[in-house]
Amino acid sequence: MSEQPRFPTESGVPDGFQYMHPAYIKNFGNWAYHDRPRPGVLHHVAKSGDEVWTVRVGTQRQLGPYEINLLCDIIDQYADGYVRFTIRSNMEVSVTDEAKVQPLIDAFEDAGYPVGGTGNSLTMISHTQGWLHCDIPGTDASGVVKALMDELYDEFRSEDMPNRVHMTTSCCQINCGGQGDIAINVQHTKPPKINHDLVANVCERPSVVARCPVAAIRPAIVNGKPSLEVDEKKCICCGACFPPCPPMQINDPEHSKLAIWVGGKHSNARSKPMFHKLVAAGIPNNPPRWPEVTEVVKNILHTYKADAKNWERIGDWIERIGWPRFFELTELPFTKFHIDNWTGARKSLNASTHIRF
Amino acid sequence: MSEQPRFPTESGVPDGFQYMHPAYIKNFGNWAYHDRPRPGVLHHVAKSGDEVWTVRVGTQRQLGPYEINLLCDIIDQYADGYVRFTIRSNMEVSVTDEAKVQPLIDAFEDAGYPVGGTGNSLTMISHTQGWLHCDIPGTDASGVVKALMDELYDEFRSEDMPNRVHMTTSCCQINCGGQGDIAINVQHTKPPKINHDLVANVCERPSVVARCPVAAIRPAIVNGKPSLEVDEKKCICCGACFPPCPPMQINDPEHSKLAIWVGGKHSNARSKPMFHKLVAAGIPNNPPRWPEVTEVVKNILHTYKADAKNWERIGDWIERIGWPRFFELTELPFTKFHIDNWTGARKSLNASTHIRF
Amino acid sequence: MAAQTPKNPEKHSTYLPKTKKSSKPLHDTPMLDQLESGPWPSFVTGLKRLAYEGKHANMMVDLLGQLEHSYKTRLGYWKGGTVSIFGYGGGIIPRFTELMDDDGKPMFPESKEFHTVRVQPPAGNHYSTDMLRQLSNSWNKHGSGLIAFHGQTGNIMFIGTTTDNTQHFFDEINSYGWDLGGAGPCVRTGMSCVGAARCEQSCANEQKIHRLLVNNFLDDMHRPALPYKFKFKVSGCPNDCMNSIQRSDLAVIGTWRDDMKVDQAEVQKFVADKGRKYVVDSVINMCPTRALSLNDDDTLEVDNRNCVRCMHCINVMTRALSTGDDKGVTLLLGGKRTLKIGDTMGTVIVPFMKLDTEEDYEKLVELAEEIIDFWAENALEHERVGETIDRIGLVNFLEGIDLEVDPNMISDARQSSYVRMDTWDEEANKWKDRQTG
Amino acid sequence: MAAQTPKNPEKHSTYLPKTKKSSKPLHDTPMLDQLESGPWPSFVTGLKRLAYEGKHANMMVDLLGQLEHSYKTRLGYWKGGTVSIFGYGGGIIPRFTELMDDDGKPMFPESKEFHTVRVQPPAGNHYSTDMLRQLSNSWNKHGSGLIAFHGQTGNIMFIGTTTDNTQHFFDEINSYGWDLGGAGPCVRTGMSCVGAARCEQSCANEQKIHRLLVNNFLDDMHRPALPYKFKFKVSGCPNDCMNSIQRSDLAVIGTWRDDMKVDQAEVQKFVADKGRKYVVDSVINMCPTRALSLNDDDTLEVDNRNCVRCMHCINVMTRALSTGDDKGVTLLLGGKRTLKIGDTMGTVIVPFMKLDTEEDYEKLVELAEEIIDFWAENALEHERVGETIDRIGLVNFLEGIDLEVDPNMISDARQSSYVRMDTWDEEANKWKDRQTG
Ligand code: SRM
Ligand code: SRM
Ligand code: SRM
Ligand code: SRM
Ligand code: SF4
Ligand code: SF4
Ligand code: SF4
Ligand code: SF4
Ligand code: SF4
Ligand code: SF4
Ligand code: SF4
Ligand code: SF4
């Protein structure tokens, strides 16, 4: 083995055409329409008349050689040897022969991999690293998601929702999982505990001070050493100081809670994109199966399914029925915390007599 | 004549029933519906079956004994001796006998008082004191309004607009005339000129400093006297310092311009209430007839009339067609000033691909 | 569009007396003169008539002079000062001329004092012609004769008199039932729409609410000592003909809680008359919450639970649709114009309040008192209540006036994760208790 | 909802080998074990399989130990550090355990280093099974074997290896065409939707845009020196399947400028199939600008000038309606998650840009360069471009990157009168010149 360092080839983004299904290449940019013969299967028809059936398969996102080989074997045997991953870690496997669809589905399901996640289903919950890998997590996103997907398995495999449901789960308040129809996020409720002995060595104090969104941190000398002090009255427990300064421990087994936000939407369909909004908080961070989270999520999904009109995303639905009705139907408590108080909060107040009784 | 001061009777708001038309009193709270047999005439039908016809008459708001007697004579002769004023300084004169309506209209019109302002008309422009009385005016609202109403006379007397048009005109940037479908406001474009000799005597300096919305004013010693200084780079020429400190002269014959804002709406019909938005500025303050203002206003009204759908107020219409189309249709220039930059401005940007081509 | 030649020039808005009674010659007013033409009644002709034959015609001669000067120079020439009525601290807008000749003497001395007296109108702005003439006579005696019906806050503005005559005029009209309005940091004159007196949409007794609220705060009106102005406005329904949401500190707006009333036969007539496409495009499709649907038999389906009482369909189909029976009011707090933080709309603080019994009305007044007290104690100088709310947050304000949070107060739930929620359980329990209690 | 008994337990997501190849005994993991039941494929079972028979199985034994400890104590135990590939400054997320026993030694020493290697996926996330197996083999050789397809920013995340193996692994995969992604203050890995490859809604060549933009900034990706992270995301149409508006700094979204295409026969079929009421309620009445109207013959009237290309009707009636021919992209700048100022959406900076010729693409790249340069020069430390815009105002930012203002950039025109407009005429003339020019 040569000890000489190897210079990297800065090849950047690989060209997708190298690994793309031939029917995709042939009809690139020339598709006519699609439909869904059944949940989990997309049927795309090209302007050329070519047809492609795509089977969507749920995965656990983190795959080892066993899973990769298992799945690749199926794809090689029942399909054409090509696969793509969706933004939600689902696999999509295409065939050009309709007859291959059912055997392919059977093979995946027989191997314990669910087919679904298309159309108006609840598709796979996108999530983040959690205790497995991140340095600042308040919970384990993979665990929460596994627990939820077990409970919502049937919703993945059917298309009974008013519109697509895109959920996300994140392991800290930073929320790398992003906005969602339903987003499960960590919400800390106590200011960071500072390990003053370490601050001087580990943290660049001015930049930590600058990171706090409410200017609650000030430099201070504690036990004769340069450290930091938090004005606990101001602190909103956002955790932004923890990544740049781990001695400002924000995670707490008891006081780092989970919160649920709803109505986030990126698509421009009908309404403009919307941010998700807080509906439930104070939910215990309760591994390994987080039953309290599942309960709230199922309640919201159930209510949405029963009450929304065709094609309303959760955010669209709430815009039509209003927040009071949302809280009435879900029986979730409405509190002062639901009223925003951040910059520009005035615009979130009801400046009208538009009220549903 | 007694020199003893008289103690006031704090009688407060007079009871309206004292002066109210008997048919109003009889059917108070029991009206069934209304229609408009012609522009300027409302026909209200009570649940009792009683009917009332109301003729709406435009006035110049400021009335002297001549006008009051002239109008009262008509009301006594052709109607029932009762009159009310609308929030827009129109008179409303009711009769219970349909036969009286036409003679009453004729009498008003013969005396030079237009009948109209109802339904989907352009009703009287509400306005403010101006050079006649206020201490801070940049223009004369009465004059602007007289010039406009002369030009828009036919729009007052007909009901050809898509919905009601409520205009306002104000004589300084404070805008006592308030939001409007079309609002004509003063917009200063140069920082105040300070008469340093007077500041010390006339202005309470700390409260003037506190009044400035962008903190552009600081106390200073000028020519050895306590005065104020304006950071001209920061100053947004709002004029807020002028009322509490007249030596900070903001009005300028050349640089106090007029601006036109559109789409303000207080009613909750369809959309929630909306603020008016800037569309045109830099319009010369050109007495006695302000032709440049009239031109822009007529252009906007004309475009609205031609393009809006039934029942769309100007604000509703623009929400449907979008700002680019508004500027395209009116041929008004779009500038960087139309992009808000005040607190919360981010929410006024287009955070979507919703674009009309 | 052109003005016609009047049938009876002596009884016409363009009339000017042949003979001038005032002693002072008119100043040249070439600019103002240009505002005498055109069909709309001219305020300049009005001013001239007063300068010809008003009781204080010389004052108006000079007033016209100063006004012409303003038109020429594009500047105003009034300044404020202190003038008040005995026993009161506000209600007058004092004006003194600033326009001096080279000797420092007023260029237009006869109108060097030109104060406005703000007088509260009757709720709903109703007048008998007798009363109008009486008020006009009093003002012609003690002032310029010029009256604005009404100012934008609703006052009858008696424009133009001297300091002395201010008192005389007030004494006279106060003796037959008229009282001053507000000016300065105080409760201001209120406004209420025609409402129940002549409008089928009315869901409230606007006059009663208006008088009750304002008359309860007469001390705060007449002796200004609040942080800044405070306005009440009352509209009988969400059409808000008084612009209360944006133009008052406390808006009281009528509404209803049960289903709207639908006369299906009238609906069918309307559809027959206007056509289905018109009805779908102009009514159904304009409902903000898609709560309407036109049935195949041309009757209307209303999803009353999702109707937001916007009034649109009721406005358009006034014969077929009307407000429900379970009427009450919504309260919105904090509307105002732009100074300091930009325009604000009032926002809901009480979604629904019955106003049937005297106790109900009493509660309304008590709430208004709570609001004004809390604001008076906590506002900065020159801070409107909407600005206080913006500064301290709605939730803190609600706590200060002892109101519970309600989801009708928001259009969007919290979007920012920047919030500290230690006491979530406590707050959640409060809500649960309210739901069961 | 219950898991069935597998037909072939050896080829099933629940499979665990009978024999354990690793030398280190498993730690007790009673909590994690509870995540092995239930129908959804279990990541815990996956970890266990690696601990049984992975090339670095002992590492996974300890990894499971530390993870169980996290589940028990509800705390994470990783800390960052510095690990990099020769020649590069970013792309690795280094992790060192913080979980020490009383002697200050790692409680789980085999997994004390557990770095993640972020690797850029092919545009569109397409793979052949061969390539998947090859990547998996390389990683099994040099790391834990655990791969996430994909991280939320789109990287293939190779999770868990030592500092040394990081380099070895990279050398191996780099040699067959794979490059590191971004981490740190740099241009990040981009994302693009399946788009033109298999989607009729696509209005752009997503792959080309994605590769062109990211590959142009490889230096900024691999040697982090920007104020903070910068993400590109590309969606082929306004459905924005890449969440680009909110989750990327520069979103490129396909759209079209001419009329949408309507196949009226297919419309009639759709109406016949679904019924008129469904079509009115679910399509017509859901159009955000009321640009649709159903004709009496069940054909569709589209007001294309007021259609905002929201995609709704096209999504629902995919056979009958489709995007137009004059395709291009809209650019939005400044989306990001919540830190410092709260979540931001990207906002329109280029309403429409053709991407037909190579010059068109060149212009896109140049604009991206302008943006990143201006931001890099003017941003505060740790400031995303959306925050810079919020701080200095959109107009100043546009001036900095030499773009003209456009009314498509706003949803509301100015509401605040607090603005200084000395140069109105100049600005108005600029617009007029652009209109005529
Ligand atoms: C495969 C994927 C793109 C990719 O390159 O990975 C994709 C593919 C399609 N999307 Fe998507 N979307 C995909 C993620 C998204 C996302 C992002 C996300 O999931 O986080 C969004 C935006 C989410 C949001 O708004 O928060 C998204 C918003 C849409 C919409 C708009 C839905 C709406 O009404 O708001 C459509 C239109 C529709 O539903 O017909 C759409 C439609 C489609 C269509 C029907 C497009 C087409 O004609 O082929 C594709 C098949 C979807 C299906 O499931 O029936 N896709 N789509 C992604 C699949 C994710 C998954 O595994 O579930
Ligand atoms: C791995 C990943 C989550 C996942 O499991 O998928 C992730 C993980 C981390 N994110 Fe993230 N973010 C990941 C996608 C996102 C996204 C989603 C996206 O890109 O679409 C967002 C929201 C969009 C955005 O860019 O704002 C996101 C917003 C953040 C933020 C907040 C940024 C903000 O301005 O608000 C931080 C904190 C920071 O950068 O200071 C952060 C920081 C981090 C760090 C580096 C935490 C830290 O400071 O050490 C995490 C490293 C975890 C680890 O051990 O691997 N991550 N992060 C995602 C990257 C994988 C990949 O490269 O493909
Ligand atoms: C008399 C007056 C109230 C008063 O006590 O003074 C009044 C009276 C009526 N208004 Fe009004 N509105 C009056 C000022 C207003 C205002 C305030 C203003 O003009 O500044 C508004 C809110 C303005 C805004 O939104 O900016 C107002 C918004 C409405 C609306 C809602 C219109 C909309 O679609 O947005 C209706 C409903 C309608 O048009 O059918 C309405 C309807 C009515 C009706 C039809 C109510 C009824 O059933 O009797 C009344 C007859 C109006 C007509 O002209 O046809 N009224 N109306 C005011 C007449 C002003 C004038 O002289 O022109
Ligand atoms: C007379 C009147 C205009 C008119 O011709 O109708 C008027 C006239 C003045 N207003 Fe006003 N405002 C008048 C209705 C309004 C309204 C409309 C309303 O009440 O519905 C508003 C907007 C609503 C609001 O309350 O915000 C209004 C918002 C202001 C403001 C801005 C307040 C703010 O917070 O933004 C000021 C400035 C101040 O108070 O510092 C102001 C100040 C003034 C002063 C006192 C200017 C001054 O500081 O000397 C003006 C006295 C003029 C005079 O010589 O009579 N005036 N003012 C209106 C009062 C007549 C009446 O009493 O009926
Ligand atoms: S959400 Fe927080 S804890 Fe989870 S991966 Fe992102 S930064 Fe790490
Ligand atoms: S947790 Fe957030 S608010 Fe509290 S000190 Fe840290 S950065 Fe500031
Ligand atoms: S708008 Fe300005 S100038 Fe006019 S009356 Fe009001 S405060 Fe005076
Ligand atoms: S004009 Fe306005 S911005 Fe300028 S100094 Fe005066 S108060 Fe401040
Ligand atoms: S606010 Fe309502 S009740 Fe009052 S006049 Fe207007 S429409 Fe009638
Ligand atoms: S009142 Fe307004 S919200 Fe209610 S049904 Fe009619 S249009 Fe819809
Ligand atoms: S963003 Fe549009 S083009 Fe891309 S996959 Fe989604 S629907 Fe298709
Ligand atoms: S694409 Fe959207 S905006 Fe355009 S017509 Fe269809 S529904 Fe309306």
Side-chain angles (χ1 to χ4, degrees), chain A residues 57-63 67 70-71 89-90 108-109 111-115 124 127 142-143 145-147 149-150 153 156-157 289, chain D residues 3 12-15 35-46 49:
Chain A
V57 185
T59 77
Q60 60 272 63
R61 182 165 96 144
Q62 295 96 319
L63 304 176
E67 297 87 337
L70 175 67
L71 292 162
S89 300
N90 291 315
F108 281 126
E109 295 254 340
Y113 283 86
V115 167
M124 172 59 173
H127 68 84
S142 308
V145 168
K146 160 70 177 153
M149 290 309 292
D150 280 346
Y153 196 65
F156 178 83
R157 293 167 79 225
R289 295 202 74 100
Chain D
H12 194 269
S13 70
T14 53
Y15 167 77
L35 285 171
E36 290 199 86
S37 59
W40 195 262
S42 170
F43 71 100
V44 173
T45 310
R49 276 190 295 257

Side-chain angles (χ1 to χ4, degrees), chain A residues 128-130 134 136-138 170-177:
Chain A
T128 53
Q129 293 280 40
C134 196
I136 53 181
S170 300
C171 30
C172 84
Q173 209 162 331
I174 281 177
N175 179 219
C176 296

Side-chain angles (χ1 to χ4, degrees), chain D residues 81-114:
Chain D
T82 319
V83 173
S84 58
I85 291 299
F86 178 77
Y88 283 2
I92 312 295
I93 305 289
R95 290 296 177 238
F96 301 90
T97 189
E98 282 193 314
L99 198 55
M100 303 299 170
D101 60 22
D102 296 342
D103 309 332
K105 297 248 177 64
M107 271 172 68
F108 300 100
E110 299 284 339
S111 60
K112 68 173 196 261
E113 294 185 10
F114 199 70

Side-chain angles (χ1 to χ4, degrees), chain B residues 270, chain C residues 256 260 283 286-292 302 306-314 321:
Chain B
R270 301 165 306 281
Chain C
W256 70 99
M260 71 166 72
V283 186
M286 291 181 99
C287 171
T289 49
R290 295 186 288 126
L292 296 175
V302 184
N306 285 311
C307 162
V308 287
R309 280 71 182 159
C310 87
M311 298 300 295
H312 174 69
C313 60
I314 300 178
L321 307 180

Side-chain angles (χ1 to χ4, degrees), chain A residues 1 5-17 19-20 24 28-29 31-35 42 44 54 58-70 72-73 75-76 81-85 87 89 92 110-114 124 126-127 129 131-135 140 142-143 146 149-151 153-154 156 173-177 179 185 211 213 240 251 253 266-270 272-276 285-290 310-312 342, chain D residues 1 7 10-13 15 31 34-35 37-43 46 49-50 63 67 70-71 73-76 78 86 88 93 95 114-116 120-129 131-133 136 140 145-152 157 159 168 170-171 174-175 178-179 191 194 196-200 205 207 210-211 214-215 218 222-223 238-239 241 243 245-247 278 282 286 288 310 312 316 318-319 337 340-341 343-345 382 411:
Chain A
M1 236 169 83
R6 175 186 170 279
F7 272 92
T9 311
E10 301 205 27
S11 48
V13 192
D15 185 352
F17 283 87
Y19 314 115
M20 207 187 280
Y24 292 9
F28 193 85
W31 295 93
Y33 68 88
H34 80 282
D35 52 26
L42 308 168
H44 281 89
T54 303
T59 77
Q60 60 272 63
R61 182 165 96 144
Q62 295 96 319
L63 304 176
Y66 174 84
E67 297 87 337
I68 290 176
N69 285 321
L70 175 67
C72 285
D73 287 348
I75 297 165
D76 287 341
Y82 296 92
V83 56
R84 70 176 297 275
F85 286 89
I87 190 177
S89 300
E92 290 187 336
D110 285 348
Y113 283 86
M124 172 59 173
S126 59
H127 68 84
Q129 293 280 40
W131 290 324
L132 181 71
H133 200 270
C134 196
D135 54 344
D140 194 46
S142 308
K146 160 70 177 153
M149 290 309 292
D150 280 346
E151 295 274 330
Y153 196 65
D154 289 345
F156 178 83
Q173 209 162 331
I174 281 177
N175 179 219
C176 296
Q179 302 280 324
N185 289 349
R211 221 48 95 76
N251 288 308
H266 302 87
S267 90
N268 292 274
R270 300 165 306 281
K272 294 186 170 188
M274 307 182 207
F275 294 117
H276 57 213
N285 183 18
N286 204 355
R289 295 202 74 100
W290 293 268
N310 293 317
W311 301 107
E312 283 176 343
W342 192 247
Chain D
M1 201 187 291
K7 273 196 199 160
E10 305 278 299
K11 297 267 178 193
H12 194 269
S13 70
Y15 167 77
M31 293 191 90
Q34 292 182 55
L35 285 171
S37 59
W40 195 262
S42 170
F43 71 100
R49 276 190 295 257
L50 290 169
L63 188 270
L67 191 56
S70 283
Y71 269 63
T73 57
R74 305 183 188 186
L75 286 173
W78 299 113
F86 178 77
Y88 283 2
I93 305 289
R95 290 296 177 238
F114 199 70
H115 316 317
T116 283
Q120 295 189 68
N125 292 349
H126 301 275
Y127 298 90
S128 62
T129 48
M131 183 43 76
L132 275 190
R133 293 186 214 256
S136 174
N140 201 27
L146 193 68
I147 313 180
F149 290 99
H150 299 81
Q152 296 305 323
M157 299 197 297
I159 305 178
H168 299 147
F170 175 75
D171 287 346
N174 186 239
S175 72
W178 301 83
D179 198 3
M191 292 172 89
V194 61
R198 202 204 57 210
C199 176
E200 71 273 17
N205 186 333
Q207 311 215 7
H210 173 173
R211 295 187 66 223
V214 171
N215 289 347
L218 288 178
H222 293 317
R223 281 156 291 270
N239 280 329
C241 294
N243 300 327
I245 289 188
Q246 203 269 321
R247 282 171 52 174
Y278 178 92
S282 306
M286 288 180 103
C310 86
H312 175 69
V316 177
T318 161
R319 289 194 191 211
R337 190 34 202 165
K340 288 210 287 225
I341 65 169
D343 290 64
T344 58
M345 295 277 180
H382 207 260
S411 62

Side-chain angles (χ1 to χ4, degrees), chain B residues 60 62-73 113, chain C residues 11 15 46-47 49-51 53-56 60 132-147 149 158-159:
Chain B
Q60 61 273 64
Q62 295 95 319
L63 304 175
Y66 174 84
E67 296 86 338
I68 290 175
N69 284 322
L70 175 66
L71 292 162
C72 285
D73 286 349
Y113 284 87
Chain C
K11 298 267 178 194
Y15 167 77
L47 295 176
R49 276 190 295 257
L50 290 169
E53 57 178 14
K55 273 260 167 56
H56 303 264
M60 295 312 279
L132 275 189
R133 294 188 213 258
Q134 190 176 349
L135 288 167
S136 174
N137 285 339
S138 297
W139 184 239
N140 203 25
K141 189 158 22 138
H142 301 294
S144 73
L146 192 69
I147 314 179
F149 288 101
F158 294 88
I159 306 178

Side-chain angles (χ1 to χ4, degrees), chain B residues 6 9-10 12-13 29 34 63 66-67 73 76 83 89 92 111 127 133 140 146 150 175 179 289, chain C residues 10 34-35 37 40 49 71 95 114 116 127 129 133 147 152 174 179 196 198 200 215 223 337 343:
Chain B
R6 176 186 169 281
T9 311
E10 301 204 30
V13 193
H34 81 282
L63 304 175
Y66 174 84
E67 296 86 338
D73 286 349
D76 287 341
V83 55
S89 300
E92 291 188 335
H127 69 85
H133 199 270
D140 194 46
K146 160 70 176 154
D150 280 346
N175 179 219
Q179 304 279 326
R289 293 204 75 100
Chain C
E10 305 278 301
Q34 293 182 54
L35 284 171
S37 59
W40 194 263
R49 276 190 295 257
Y71 269 63
R95 290 297 177 237
F114 199 69
T116 283
Y127 299 89
T129 49
R133 294 188 213 258
I147 314 179
Q152 295 305 323
N174 186 241
D179 197 1
R198 202 203 57 208
E200 70 274 16
N215 289 347
R223 280 156 291 270
R337 195 26 206 166
D343 291 64

Side-chain angles (χ1 to χ4, degrees), chain A residues 272-338:
Chain A
K272 294 186 170 188
M274 307 182 207
F275 294 117
H276 57 213
K277 283 124 201 158
L278 177 76
V279 293
I283 303 175
N285 183 18
N286 204 355
R289 295 202 74 100
W290 293 268
E292 300 84 354
V293 172
T294 314
E295 195 193 335
V296 180
V297 168
K298 283 173 84 173
N299 171 6
I300 293 167
L301 278 173
H302 175 88
T303 310
Y304 163 61
K305 194 167 164 177
D307 198 65
K309 292 192 183 181
N310 293 317
W311 301 107
E312 283 176 343
R313 293 280 298 275
I314 290 187
D316 298 325
W317 164 60
I318 299 174
E319 290 234 314
R320 180 174 58 80
I321 69 163
W323 289 100
R325 186 82 67 226
F326 175 87
F327 286 101
E328 181 192 318
L329 294 175
T330 56
E331 292 179 27
L332 291 170
F334 179 83
T335 69
K336 66 179 188 183
F337 303 117
H338 292 100

